[in-house]
Amino acid sequence: PEAGLSPRAGAVGPVTPTVPDRREGRTRKGRLAHSEGHAAEWTAALWLMVKGYQILGFRLKTRHGELDILARKGRVLAAVEVKRRATREAALDALGPVQHGRLVRAAAAVRKSRPGLRALTLRLDLIALAPGRLPRHIRGLAAETDLDGRYRL
């Protein structure tokens, strides 16, 4: 039999390979990071709700990228990127120019695809999380970069 295919007793015709579980290929460390990422997003969502935001969605996928959280407060539609690192400073530095651009395009695509959101002012926010520290919510990430390529906050 071909690699990855196993014959079935009495089967006629081509053998269909089994599709592995998506999580099967992840390492233990990768699974832990994935679950910690989801926990960080829930923590950030709770923080936003306490501050008066309405959560509209989690992990919204577009062809441009994925938005961690989409939230609304008044006339503002916030596309929120959540970063959890060992220190809050590392979390604040974790968003680079390439990812920023993808997030802006993804947020614009989500707003455009939903008529009820089109009139809202779109803003890209960051919530930085670190163990033992309160979340830090940065509203309206700047589009200009400094000489290091990091975004000014």
Side-chain angles (χ1 to χ4, degrees), residues 51-71:
K51 294 174 77 173
Y53 287 81
Q54 176 187 10
I55 305 302
L56 303 178
F58 281 95
R59 296 181 289 284
L60 299 172
K61 293 171 179 53
T62 73
R63 66 184 188 101
H64 303 288
E66 181 179 291
L67 299 176
D68 290 338
I69 298 173
L70 189 67

Side-chain angles (χ1 to χ4, degrees), residues 9-144:
V12 178
V15 176
T16 306
T18 58
V19 178
D21 181 9
R22 283 183 63 176
R23 295 180 299 171
E24 202 173 281
R26 287 197 179 121
T27 64
R28 184 170 184 252
K29 183 178 177 182
R31 284 190 302 273
L32 180 62
H34 185 76
S35 65
E36 285 178 351
H38 286 299
E41 289 168 3
W42 279 102
T43 300
L46 288 171
W47 187 256
L48 289 168
M49 287 189 287
V50 165
K51 294 174 77 173
Y53 287 81
Q54 176 187 10
I55 305 302
L56 303 178
F58 281 95
R59 296 181 289 284
L60 299 172
K61 293 171 179 53
T62 73
R63 66 184 188 101
H64 303 288
E66 181 179 291
L67 299 176
D68 290 338
I69 298 173
L70 189 67
R72 176 184 180 169
K73 184 174 183 180
R75 303 295 303 156
V76 173
L77 179 65
V80 183
E81 179 66 11
V82 179
K83 294 293 185 185
R84 182 187 184 282
R85 298 291 187 273
T87 67
R88 200 164 59 181
E89 292 71 27
L92 291 170
D93 286 341
L95 183 65
V98 173
Q99 186 181 18
H100 180 275
R102 276 196 304 259
L103 292 171
V104 169
R105 290 188 299 276
V110 168
R111 183 178 66 171
K112 184 178 178 183
S113 71
R114 299 175 188 208
L117 303 179
R118 289 182 188 153
L120 300 177
T121 301
L122 184 60
R123 187 178 75 199
L124 182 61
D125 292 2
L126 172 73
I127 293 190
L129 299 168
R133 303 285 306 266
L134 288 174
R136 178 152 180 222
H137 181 193
I138 308 297
R139 292 168 209 80
L141 295 177
E144 297 179 62

